[in-house]
Coordinates of all heavy atoms in Angstrom, one line a residue:
G52 N -136.9 178.1 -229.2 CA -136.9 177.8 -230.6 C -136.0 176.5 -230.9 O -136.1 175.9 -231.9
A55 N -138.1 173.4 -231.2 CA -138.8 173.4 -232.5 C -137.9 173.1 -233.7 O -138.3 172.4 -234.6 CB -139.5 174.8 -232.7
R79 N -130.4 147.1 -250.9 CA -130.0 145.7 -250.6 C -128.5 145.6 -250.5 O -128.0 144.8 -249.7 CB -130.6 144.8 -251.6 CG -132.1 144.5 -251.4 CD -132.7 143.8 -252.6 NE -132.8 144.7 -253.8 CZ -133.4 144.4 -254.9 NH1 -134.1 143.2 -255.0 NH2 -133.4 145.2 -255.9
F95 N -124.7 146.5 -227.7 CA -125.2 145.6 -226.6 C -124.2 145.5 -225.5 O -124.5 145.5 -224.3 CB -125.6 144.3 -227.1 CG -126.7 144.3 -228.1 CD1 -126.9 143.2 -229.1 CD2 -127.6 145.3 -228.2 CE1 -127.9 143.3 -230.0 CE2 -128.6 145.4 -229.1 CZ -128.8 144.3 -230.0
R138 N -119.8 165.0 -244.1 CA -118.6 165.8 -244.2 C -117.3 165.0 -244.4 O -116.5 165.4 -245.2 CB -118.5 166.7 -243.0 CG -117.2 167.6 -242.9 CD -117.3 168.7 -243.9 NE -116.1 169.6 -243.8 CZ -115.8 170.4 -244.7 NH1 -116.5 170.7 -245.7 NH2 -114.7 171.2 -244.5
H155 N -131.6 151.8 -235.6 CA -131.0 152.2 -234.4 C -132.1 152.4 -233.3 O -132.0 151.8 -232.2 CB -130.3 153.5 -234.6 CG -129.4 154.0 -233.5 ND1 -129.8 155.0 -232.6 CD2 -128.2 153.5 -233.1 CE1 -128.9 155.2 -231.7 NE2 -127.9 154.3 -231.9
M164 N -136.1 149.9 -223.0 CA -137.4 149.9 -222.3 C -137.7 148.5 -221.7 O -138.2 148.4 -220.6 CB -138.5 150.3 -223.3 CG -138.4 151.7 -223.8 SD -139.7 152.2 -224.9 CE -141.1 152.2 -223.8
G200 N -138.5 154.8 -248.3 CA -137.3 154.7 -249.1 C -137.1 153.3 -249.6 O -136.7 153.1 -250.7
A224 N -131.3 170.5 -245.6 CA -131.5 171.3 -244.3 C -131.0 170.6 -243.1 O -130.8 171.2 -242.1 CB -132.9 171.8 -244.2
A228 N -129.1 172.7 -239.7 CA -130.2 172.8 -238.7 C -129.9 171.9 -237.5 O -130.0 172.3 -236.3 CB -131.5 172.5 -239.3
P261 N -116.8 152.0 -230.6 CA -116.1 152.0 -231.9 C -114.9 151.0 -231.9 O -114.6 150.4 -233.0 CB -115.6 153.4 -232.2 CG -115.6 154.0 -230.8 CD -116.7 153.4 -230.1
G291 N -126.9 160.5 -227.7 CA -127.9 161.4 -228.2 C -128.9 161.9 -227.2 O -129.0 161.4 -226.1

Side-chain angles (χ1 to χ4, degrees):
R79 285 169 290 190
F95 297 157
R138 176 71 181 166
H155 191 258
M164 293 182 70

